[in-house]
Amino acid sequence: MKTLGLIVNPVAGMGGTVGLKGTDGPEILERAEQLGAVPQAHKRAARALAALLPHSDNFELLTFSGVMGEKPAAECGLKPQVIGSGSSPRTIPEDTIRAAGQMADRGVDLLLFAGGDGTARDVCGAIGTSVTVLGIPAGVKIHSAVFASSPPAAGQVAASFLGGEIVRVKEAEVMDIDEEGYRRGILSARLYGYMTIPDGRRLLQGLKAASAPDERAVQMAIATGLIESMADDRCYIVGPGSTCRPLMEMLGLEDSLLGVDMVRGGRQIGKDMSEREILEGMANAECSLILTPVGGQGFLLGRGNQQISPEVIRRVGKENIIVVATPEKLTSLRGRPLLVDTGDIETDSYLCGYYRVVTGYREAAVYRVSCYA
Amino acid sequence: MEIQRGSRLRNFHQAKWDEEVIFELSTPGERGIHVPEVETEISDAVGDGLSRIPTAMRRKTPPALPEVGQMRVLKHFLRLSQQTLGADFNVDIGQGTCTIKYNPKINERIAGAPQAMDIHPHQDESTVQGALQVMYELDLFLREISGMDRFSLQPSSGSDAILTMAAIMHKYHEVRGEAATRDELITTIFSHPSDAAAAAVKGYKIITLYADEQGMPDLEALKAALSQRTAGLFITNPEDIGIFNPRIPEFTRMVHEAGGICGYDQANVNGIMGITRAREAAFDLCFFNLHKSFGAPHGCGGPGAGALGATEEMADYLPVPLVGLDGERYYFDYEVPHSIGKVRSFWGAFSVILKAYAWILSMGAEGLKEAARIAVLNNNYLLKKITEIYGATSPYTGGKRRIEQVRYSWQKLYEETGVDTHDVTLRLADFGFHLWQSHHPFVVPQPFTIEPTESYSKDELDEYLDGLRHVVQEARTEPETVKRAPHNSVVHKIDESSFDDPEKWAVTWRAFIKKHGEAAAKIRG
């Protein structure tokens, strides 16, 4: 018998219906309520759970009381085991964190959570990559890659995962933007971390299709090609993101997944460096900058890697930027360009144009980079 | 579920025999044919046969072949044949990009006739003049269709033809002293993946152009990709999504200006036969899969024929031999100055060549054009009807028509119901239909690709449409029926988890036993 955890952030999404760009923090929630917002996350959770109902004999459902999971589950005809309760009268982020921790302790096979980026961040902070999770999109901000594309899709993927039809997992980004800044028109997102999600890709595509290789295998192919082309006397600035990680691993160096690292002659010059440290490390050496798009919108610069500042970019030079991405990541952009938003208009327009994106061993795509503004 | 009379859908149920792998049927000593003992007169004259094989080349142990009687072998393969969904059984329009059209049975008779079957490739050319004439004339037909100046019929598949194009391109640059520096091949994300793969086999770095918002390969991206390192461009048009790229002359012009070679992947030429040609689009090389557009069957992965055409300049690099006519007699022509040599033993897949030759003769020039027009008409009929089905879209068209196929999307259906394209595929199998999704990566989300060709009647297209509508209706009202499909097929669901795991996959029986152990084999008492 499999175990499924369920956490609903009951207030997720409320800010969006009244134009508040998010619902993080008690004051915003109050404003949202004053503007007439009503909770809707439990409804979206229920739409996902409906897909699980036919499989209810095969898993045990653990959740928190009331609107945090018990209520939407019961509405669908599921009989959850309630293992805790949220704060009253209104739940707070700590409730999500506590619930996620308890479910991880109980060894759930999958944790479904309904919310947005804020909720994803709370879950990520509590359990990291230790438990396989899947987001039911119910929040205002959905920039993270841990969400299914719709509530019914979340339910079906969960059913396939619990039923053993999906056996692979992969790491996906948890992103969040600064809501306060966003309300003032400044979009500043960061890569908050990674969580483990079911890898729902189907391998069997019929007679003609080669099966899609495992994403990590592609990342290793990219790293192999990069290492072959690396010059000993050059300095390599390695940006954040999981696509860059195998490069550092294969060089036998430490990788700061969310930070900027630096390599020269196969040796580590720095790890998780600030802008100043990067500039210092660049002194007296020709440099290349290895970047991968971070987050669902395809941001190359300005989201989660602000330490790679306009000054760093000017010193590196556009021609020395090496962009890496798996073909899956590029195709997930659906034809939209990669984006830069360094905060400096001149730098952004300098960076625009077509780049070779390394997509495999001796394989590249030519892809457009545009300014966000 | 019982399908009601009045619906075009069938109460289909596939045969399931739970048939063993032939190795599991082996009984020591059993034989299909007892070969007669060699008469002493013969063995006295030529020895025992084995003694002529050098000792080092002789097996120490006999090969571990299955030992099975004739009748059991017959049953085995007939049972397996009932477990497939063959093109002659179903409305096989769901294998988009494959051009599954009707393959006239009379052409099987022609290819199976002793004049074709019993000739040997080592025979003197004076004794196979008819076969040479077929190859010579097929070359002439294909020149007309493509505008190219010479064809080689040697490559035995589309991918083989692409590899041959890559070899020719390499030789071309080698002759100019540029082979070492021109090491990049440009292709597009919606061209066939073999354009990239076969060129990579030849040692090229692969540069892929992604589609712009209209689904066209990005011309600006091509500009950015071109350099002194460019060896050439391999591209399809119309691409796999069925959109014809009207800017193709600009692509070939820019590649030529950069010093590269342009190869046209026309494996599937079905929507433009007799309408547009490789020459007018300024390609240097092109190829046709005779087993797609030209009426020969696909043959379950072989035999095939990727007839490769070249301009006069590039014909100097074609594989040898070509077939020539000296005014009276046909002959094998080895006088090709820069030939890359052979890409296949002997002269090509003759049975496929013969079927394509017969098909073209029976169609005639007007017939070819008409086939293309009907294929396009059928496709656009389906485009209209399919995009009226709930949850189905055709990304990129913007209301425009397509050529011979369309890559549709079930993304909307997936978001509304959680039923994905793979689920729809499996459920359609319950009605005797096949549906294919797309090459990887899935650029179109939740894709499916349909190519009706000219062969199917409106009734048959409508039957297929009813299948799609039925499954979509189920997805909206009882998604579990779709998610748990197939219900009427040979195998319910396959565990896909080990498909790309080198520790588990096995493409031979010996590898299977080695990786999974004797106990994994089905043991019969």
Side-chain angles (χ1 to χ4, degrees):
Chain A
M1 175 80 80
K2 295 279 175 71
T3 319
L4 173 67
L6 171 69
I7 301 172
V8 178
N9 173 6
V11 302
M14 283 177 69
T17 56
V18 290
L20 286 178
K21 324 252 191 220
T23 328
D24 289 355
E27 288 154 27
I28 293 298
L29 179 57
E30 208 160 296
R31 258 176 71 196
E33 282 173 341
Q34 282 163 8
L35 288 166
V38 288
Q40 50 159 323
H42 67 281
K43 285 188 195 161
R44 295 180 73 84
R47 287 186 69 200
L49 293 174
L52 283 156
L53 191 59
H55 308 273
S56 60
D57 291 345
N58 305 328
F59 66 88
E60 190 184 7
L61 182 64
L62 305 184
T63 190
F64 265 32
S65 63
V67 286
M68 277 194 75
E70 183 190 14
K71 193 162 171 268
E75 277 170 17
C76 294
L78 290 165
K79 296 182 188 67
Q81 186 192 340
V82 177
I83 61 165
S85 56
S87 306
S88 184
R90 185 180 283 153
T91 62
I92 53 174
E94 285 70 20
D95 295 329
T96 301
I97 295 166
R98 193 158 44 86
Q102 283 187 29
M103 284 170 196
D105 291 344
R106 288 186 175 236
V108 292
D109 295 289
L110 178 69
L111 172 55
L112 267 179
F113 68 92
D117 286 333
T119 319
R121 223 174 78 177
D122 291 337
V123 174
C124 181
I127 60 168
T129 53
S130 64
V131 176
T132 306
V133 305
L134 185 63
I136 302 166
V140 183
K141 301 164 290 166
I142 307 282
H143 299 284
S144 303
V146 296
F147 291 96
S149 61
S150 70
Q156 295 293 4
V157 171
S160 298
F161 186 72
L162 292 172
E165 285 152 39
I166 297 175
V167 293
R168 289 168 187 277
V169 294
K170 64 178 179 185
E171 288 180 1
E173 294 107 333
V174 177
M175 304 285 294
D176 201 5
I177 60 167
D178 170 9
E179 278 185 21
E180 193 43 47
Y182 190 35
R183 284 188 198 97
R184 285 185 277 115
I186 306 160
L187 183 57
S188 147
R190 79 181 191 97
L191 175 62
Y192 192 82
Y194 282 82
M195 286 206 280
T196 310
I197 62 168
D199 186 352
R201 265 177 319 155
R202 305 281 192 161
L203 295 169
L204 182 61
Q205 298 300 347
L207 183 70
K208 286 178 54 164
S211 65
D214 182 73
E215 181 139 304
R216 188 169 158 77
V218 179
Q219 292 169 351
M220 288 172 73
I222 292 171
T224 304
L226 284 183
I227 290 169
E228 280 184 11
S229 69
M230 283 172 107
D232 268 355
D233 55 349
R234 242 187 134 71
C235 162
Y236 292 88
I237 304 163
V238 183
S242 59
T243 313
C244 294
R245 182 167 48 182
L247 170 70
M248 296 299 281
E249 285 173 0
M250 289 168 77
L251 287 169
L253 303 175
E254 281 184 56
D255 172 58
S256 65
L257 185 55
L258 309 181
V260 176
D261 306 321
M262 195 180 278
V263 180
R264 187 173 172 182
R267 286 183 27 250
Q268 190 138 17
I269 305 290
K271 191 185 163 197
D272 197 6
M273 301 165 85
S274 66
E275 182 200 2
R276 176 190 290 270
E277 288 167 332
I278 296 168
L279 289 169
E280 284 168 7
M282 291 172 74
N284 311 319
E286 293 285 313
C287 290
S288 293
L289 171 60
I290 301 171
L291 290 175
T292 189
V294 172
Q297 278 90 9
F299 276 100
L300 205 52
L301 282 163
R303 299 288 180 276
N305 54 10
Q306 281 89 342
Q307 57 275 63
I308 304 169
S309 64
E311 175 66 18
V312 172
I313 292 158
R314 265 194 299 278
R315 287 223 218 151
V316 169
K318 185 177 172 177
E319 64 285 1
N320 294 316
I321 295 176
I322 302 166
V323 183
V324 300
T326 61
E328 288 226 331
K329 202 160 204 172
L330 283 185
T331 53
S332 73
L333 296 174
R334 308 268 168 256
R336 296 189 306 270
L338 293 169
L339 297 170
V340 290
D341 184 19
T342 62
D344 178 63
I345 293 168
E346 255 181 58
T347 307
D348 287 353
S349 58
Y350 164 70
L351 285 169
C352 286
Y354 284 83
Y355 286 74
R356 287 207 171 182
V357 179
V358 182
T359 53
Y361 180 68
R362 293 169 68 84
E363 284 177 35
V366 177
Y367 210 89
R368 184 158 59 97
V369 173
S370 288
C371 305
Y372 177 67
Chain B
M1 169 192 322
E2 191 79 2
I3 299 296
Q4 299 304 312
R5 286 280 164 221
S7 165
R8 288 186 187 85
L9 284 185
R10 291 160 199 283
N11 286 311
F12 169 82
H13 202 298
Q14 198 157 18
K16 177 173 179 172
W17 286 100
D18 195 21
E19 180 69 359
E20 298 86 340
V21 174
I22 194 150
F23 287 91
E24 292 169 303
L25 298 174
S26 187
T27 305
E30 222 171 86
R31 288 288 178 275
I33 299 166
H34 286 283
V35 181
E37 292 287 321
V38 177
E39 288 87 343
T40 44
E41 296 91 319
I42 294 173
S43 54
D44 287 348
V46 298
D48 65 356
L50 278 180
S51 53
R52 297 206 172 195
I53 299 171
T55 322
M57 289 177 70
R58 280 185 233 163
R59 295 189 70 107
K60 306 258 180 318
T61 50
L65 295 174
E67 299 172 71
V68 190
Q70 213 173 97
M71 194 181 178
R72 187 66 186 88
V73 170
L74 183 66
K75 259 198 270 287
H76 175 72
F77 286 106
L78 282 175
R79 285 173 176 176
L80 292 185
S81 76
Q82 290 193 339
Q83 297 194 158
T84 66
L85 201 57
D88 286 341
F89 279 115
N90 71 354
V91 181
D92 207 359
I93 62 175
Q95 181 83 345
T97 80
C98 271
T99 322
I100 305 291
K101 61 168 70 179
Y102 179 60
N103 312 124
K105 297 306 162 218
I106 189 170
N107 293 344
E108 297 296 325
R109 298 285 291 271
I110 293 169
Q115 294 92 325
M117 282 282 278
D118 295 346
I119 54 176
H120 194 278
H122 277 316
Q123 269 177 247
D124 187 86
E125 59 191 38
S126 66
T127 67
V128 287
Q129 284 290 300
L132 267 62
Q133 183 183 352
V134 166
M135 293 195 269
Y136 181 83
E137 290 183 358
L138 182 58
D139 174 8
L140 297 184
F141 297 163
L142 297 178
R143 290 183 202 182
E144 282 296 318
I145 294 166
S146 66
M148 293 283 121
D149 295 311
R150 195 93 194 246
F151 269 80
S152 164
L153 306 176
Q154 235 181 66
S156 50
S157 67
S159 297
D160 197 6
I162 298 166
L163 184 61
T164 307
M165 289 205 301
I168 289 173
M169 181 170 75
H170 190 268
K171 189 76 183 267
Y172 173 87
H173 292 308
E174 193 179 84
V175 166
R176 278 152 192 77
E178 293 186 321
T181 51
R182 292 193 180 271
D183 62 352
E184 292 180 352
L185 184 279
I186 300 169
T187 185
T188 68
I189 192 73
F190 286 131
S191 287
H192 194 281
S194 284
D195 289 314
V201 167
K202 187 62 197 165
Y204 284 103
K205 291 180 189 163
I206 306 303
I207 313 295
T208 303
L209 309 180
Y210 276 60
D212 63 18
E213 284 88 343
Q214 280 75 47
M216 298 285 180
D218 190 332
L219 193 63
E220 293 302 314
L222 175 68
K223 276 184 201 162
L226 289 167
S227 74
Q228 292 297 308
R229 303 204 74 90
T230 303
L233 168 77
F234 290 174
I235 194 170
T236 54
N237 189 34
E239 294 195 291
D240 272 6
I241 51 175
I243 298 178
F244 188 85
N245 178 3
R247 296 178 299 186
I248 200 72
E250 286 179 75
F251 277 70
T252 50
R253 178 181 55 77
M254 284 164 57
V255 172
H256 285 147
E257 283 171 6
I261 291 297
C262 297
Y264 196 173
D265 176 345
Q266 296 198 280
N268 177 355
V269 70
N270 212 44
I272 55 173
M273 265 184 311
I275 295 165
T276 73
R277 305 197 305 174
R279 172 172 291 278
E280 281 68 35
F283 281 93
D284 306 293
L285 299 164
C286 78
F287 73 91
F288 301 127
N289 282 10
L290 301 183
H291 53 282
K292 279 188 175 173
S293 314
F294 294 96
H298 278 60
C300 300
L308 175 65
T311 56
E312 193 174 0
E313 183 185 14
M314 300 309 289
D316 285 350
Y317 298 85
L318 286 173
V320 283
L322 301 169
V323 179
L325 174 64
D326 66 7
E328 284 180 11
R329 304 193 70 77
Y330 299 98
Y331 64 98
F332 286 121
D333 179 4
Y334 286 87
E335 300 301 313
V336 181
H338 300 300
S339 173
I340 57 165
K342 273 179 168 295
V343 295
R344 187 188 196 282
S345 55
F346 302 115
W347 333 120
F350 184 66
S351 65
V352 184
I353 291 167
L354 187 54
K355 285 175 204 174
Y357 175 78
W359 191 80
I360 293 172
L361 274 183
S362 68
M363 296 291 284
E366 274 309 308
L368 293 180
K369 198 183 276 191
E370 191 183 355
R373 284 178 173 153
I374 295 173
V376 174
L377 179 65
N378 280 351
N379 186 44
N380 285 286
Y381 172 71
L382 284 179
L383 174 65
K384 175 83 167 50
K385 294 291 179 185
I386 289 174
T387 47
E388 286 169 3
I389 296 174
Y390 180 88
T393 59
S394 61
Y396 301 121
T397 36
K400 286 191 191 131
R401 289 180 179 157
R402 304 278 178 113
I403 308 293
E404 85 293 16
Q405 62 197 3
V406 178
R407 184 151 297 156
Y408 300 93
S409 175
W410 288 127
Q411 179 69 13
K412 190 161 169 272
L413 183 75
Y414 175 62
E415 288 179 4
E416 294 294 325
T417 65
V419 168
D420 68 21
T421 186
H422 196 74
D423 300 323
V424 176
T425 293
L426 293 181
R427 181 60 178 139
L428 268 181
D430 284 335
F431 302 102
F433 296 128
H434 174 63
L435 180 61
W436 179 68
Q437 287 105 39
S438 160
H439 303 111
H440 284 282
F442 281 2
V443 180
V444 169
Q446 301 295 341
F448 63 108
T449 313
I450 293 182
E451 181 188 11
T453 76
E454 70 279 18
S455 296
Y456 296 91
S457 67
K458 181 174 173 297
D459 257 1
E460 287 175 312
L461 301 182
D462 287 340
E463 183 187 334
Y464 198 94
L465 286 166
D466 279 354
L468 293 174
R469 290 189 195 106
H470 183 90
V471 175
V472 165
Q473 185 57 24
E474 283 181 340
R476 300 176 72 187
T477 53
E478 41 176 324
E480 275 307 299
T481 305
V482 186
K483 297 295 286 187
R484 289 181 177 167
H487 307 282
N488 303 338
S489 291
V490 183
V491 181
H492 180 63
K493 275 208 165 56
I494 294 171
D495 176 9
E496 302 167 5
S497 59
S498 63
F499 282 14
D500 63 352
D501 181 352
E503 298 299 319
K504 290 184 186 161
W505 74 42
V507 293
T508 65
W509 181 248
R510 190 194 288 187
F512 178 77
I513 295 295
K514 199 172 160 188
K515 291 178 182 178
H516 297 263
E518 292 276 356
K522 192 169 173 180
I523 302 300
R524 299 259 156 169

